[in-house]
């Protein structure tokens, strides 16, 4: 659970970078990630509670199953959760990129972040209030968001915070052999920006066609 607490404060930044769902039911929502807003309506969503150990998390899940609120750990739709089958963290905060290389970039970034957290000092529990604010800012504004820095003392833009995160994880990424993949992390825009540009110029059908074409091109 230490890795979870260390990774959690950075997840709104990754959401802002990955935002790729500005439409819902064929309409512009005014959000960079409508998907994140929809998921927030589910029970057991957003940030998980603070758990002191894996056993404490396991007991929490088992209690919900026992009293009939869930039929297993997959019914906990938090932005990050333990994955007992693989012994890893399952990070659910980002939108799904269209391009495979962008997916690889975010996977490499999060993997390196986990290694960095585990090799450092044990982190304190992340501030859930700051997380809620940052999550909203990220899903609303994407790369234009201003986020509370993980130190809790200042606001910082997505571009500046991205450069700080990349610098933080560089040693781990170099050790993992994934440093080159991180070049795909671009804080200047998100894929949702392209959807809006195409949609405003050519209409919603063109958005779907462009998304399909880019998906096939990167497959």
């Amino acid at each position: 659970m230490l890795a979870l607490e260390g990774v959690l404060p950075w997840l709104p930044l990754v959401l802002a970078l990955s935002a790729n769902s500005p439409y819902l039911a064929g309409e512009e929502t005014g959000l960079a990630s409508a998907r994140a807003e929809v998921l927030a309506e589910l029970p057991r969503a957003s940030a998980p509670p603070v758990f002191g150990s894996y056993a404490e998390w396991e007991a929490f899940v088992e209690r919900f199953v026992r009293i009939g609120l869930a039929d297993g750990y997959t019914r906990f739709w938090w932005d990050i959760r333990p994955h007992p089958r693989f012994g890893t963290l399952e990070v659910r905060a980002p939108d799904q990129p269209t391009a495979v290389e962008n997916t690889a970039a975010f996977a490499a970034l999060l993997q390196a972040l986990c290694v960095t957290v585990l090799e450092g000092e044990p982190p304190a529990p992340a501030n859930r209030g700051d997380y809620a604010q940052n999550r909203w800012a990220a899903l609303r504004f994407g790369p234009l968001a201003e986020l509370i820095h993980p130190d809790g003392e200042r606001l910082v833009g997505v571009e500046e915070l991205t450069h700080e995160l990349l610098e933080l994880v560089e040693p781990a990424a170099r050790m993992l052999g994934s440093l080159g993949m991180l070049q795909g992390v671009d804080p200047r825009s998100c894929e949702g920006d392209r959807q809006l540009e195409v949609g405003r110029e050519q209409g919603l059908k063109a958005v779907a066609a462009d998304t399909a074409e880019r998906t096939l091109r990167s497959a």
Side-chain angles (χ1 to χ4, degrees):
M1 307 310 289
L2 290 177
L4 187 153
E5 293 299 328
V7 169
L8 187 65
W10 296 97
L11 292 187
L13 172 63
V14 182
L15 172 59
L17 294 169
S18 67
N20 194 24
S21 54
Y23 290 97
L24 181 65
E27 300 290 338
E28 284 191 34
T29 61
L31 306 175
S33 174
R35 167 198 154 275
E37 178 68 6
V38 170
L39 289 180
E41 298 298 320
L42 293 171
R44 304 176 294 281
S46 191
V50 177
F51 296 109
S53 66
Y54 182 85
E56 190 175 319
W57 168 80
E58 195 171 42
F60 184 93
V61 172
E62 289 175 350
R63 180 171 62 89
F64 270 53
V65 172
R66 185 173 65 254
I67 64 179
L69 287 173
D71 59 7
Y73 77 93
T74 60
R75 299 301 183 182
F76 292 76
W77 294 283
W78 296 316
D79 290 342
I80 184 171
R81 67 188 186 195
H83 196 302
R85 295 179 186 173
F86 298 132
T88 61
L89 287 177
E90 182 180 354
V91 179
R92 305 165 54 82
D95 274 1
Q96 174 62 52
T98 302
V100 172
E101 57 268 24
N102 288 348
T103 299
F106 290 127
L109 178 64
L110 290 166
Q111 181 190 40
L113 178 58
C114 286
V115 171
T116 301
V117 168
L118 290 173
E119 290 186 344
E121 293 293 322
N127 186 311
R128 268 49 179 184
D130 287 3
Y131 184 84
Q133 168 62 35
N134 281 350
R135 188 183 192 278
W136 177 84
L139 73 85
R140 171 64 179 88
F141 299 109
L144 298 180
E146 285 198 321
L147 305 175
I148 302 172
H149 190 277
D151 66 16
E153 296 302 321
R154 56 196 170 97
L155 286 178
V156 60
V158 165
E159 185 167 0
E160 180 183 344
L161 194 58
T162 299
H163 292 312
E164 182 174 336
L165 178 56
L166 289 172
E167 182 177 349
L168 175 69
V169 304
E170 181 177 348
R174 192 180 301 277
M175 182 269 293
L176 292 165
S178 59
L179 190 59
M181 295 181 184
L182 298 186
Q183 294 178 1
V185 178
D186 184 356
R188 296 169 297 179
S189 65
C190 61
E191 289 195 78
D193 292 336
R194 179 180 176 117
Q195 287 191 29
L196 291 172
E197 181 181 354
V198 172
R200 290 165 181 170
E201 291 181 356
Q202 304 176 48
L204 197 60
K205 288 184 178 180
V207 174
D210 180 67
T211 302
E213 180 183 349
R214 289 187 293 117
T215 301
L216 292 172
R217 188 188 310 148
S218 65

